[in-house]
Amino acid sequence: MPYDDGGLLVSVGTSFEAFVAARSDALVRFAYLVCGNVHDAQDLVQDALVAVYPKWDQITVRDPMAYVCRAIVNRNTSVWRKLRRLVVTADVDPGSVTPTGEVDDRDWALSLLATLPPRQRVAVVLRVLDDHDYADVAAVLGVSETNARKLTSRGLTALRARLEERS
């Protein structure tokens, strides 16, 4: 199954170096949306790539992107469990407020995503922002497709409730 990343096509059976070159930006973007911090996202991607490199020949037979995304999610969960708490995002920086008093939409959307539990956040990011189907979400999270639908639905319901609170 080929993956298209800005014109760079990576297919199953490709070399590790070619995969990293073509998909590293997408992986960092995914990890950022999972953890909410660009430096932690880069660390998650690096840790995941280090973990999958020895198994690369076996991984490319299947779905390498899903496998690496799963490794990112697993690493994030391990870090979260070790810390025994979620990383709390700071309140809105007064510098990010426009003169009319409106918060930058991007920062606001990311802060909303950060309020979701990790598995719901991953499901929403994969399904809504990355436009993956439920089978892909299920593969990355290691759950059934039905459970992937539940996680996505609950995450979106929570986001809608927070949007209504703001209105």
Side-chain angles (χ1 to χ4, degrees), residues 13 24 44 51 65 87 133:
S24 61
L44 286 174
M65 188 63 179
V87 176
D133 59 18

Side-chain angles (χ1 to χ4, degrees), residues 33-155:
L33 292 170
V34 168
C35 71
N37 179 311
V38 70
H39 300 293
D40 292 341
Q42 292 168 343
D43 289 344
L44 286 174
V45 171
Q46 182 177 354
D47 290 347
L49 291 174
V50 166
V52 302
Y53 178 71
K55 308 170 200 166
W56 188 251
D57 291 336
Q58 298 150 358
I59 294 167
T60 57
V61 187
R62 292 179 249 154
D63 186 354
M65 188 63 179
Y67 195 93
V68 175
C69 285
R70 176 66 190 257
I72 289 169
V73 171
N74 289 346
R75 178 67 182 145
N76 185 57
T77 302
S78 296
V79 168
W80 173 76
R81 284 181 179 156
K82 285 179 184 175
L83 295 176
R84 297 277 184 199
R85 61 182 171 83
L86 290 173
V87 176
V88 179
T89 59
D91 289 336
V92 175
D93 178 25
S96 68
V97 177
T98 62
T100 60
E102 294 179 12
V103 178
D104 181 39
D105 289 341
R106 182 176 154 267
D107 291 339
W108 179 65
L110 289 174
S111 68
L112 272 179
L113 265 177
T115 64
L116 293 177
R119 290 166 50 97
Q120 286 180 8
R121 185 179 327 136
V122 170
V124 169
V125 166
L126 285 172
R127 181 69 183 120
V128 178
L129 299 177
D130 282 354
D131 199 30
H132 288 278
D133 59 18
Y134 288 109
D136 291 342
V137 175
V140 169
L141 289 173
V143 298
S144 68
E145 197 169 325
T146 303
N147 200 359
R149 289 178 189 273
K150 282 183 191 177
L151 288 168
T152 305
S153 175
R154 289 178 182 164

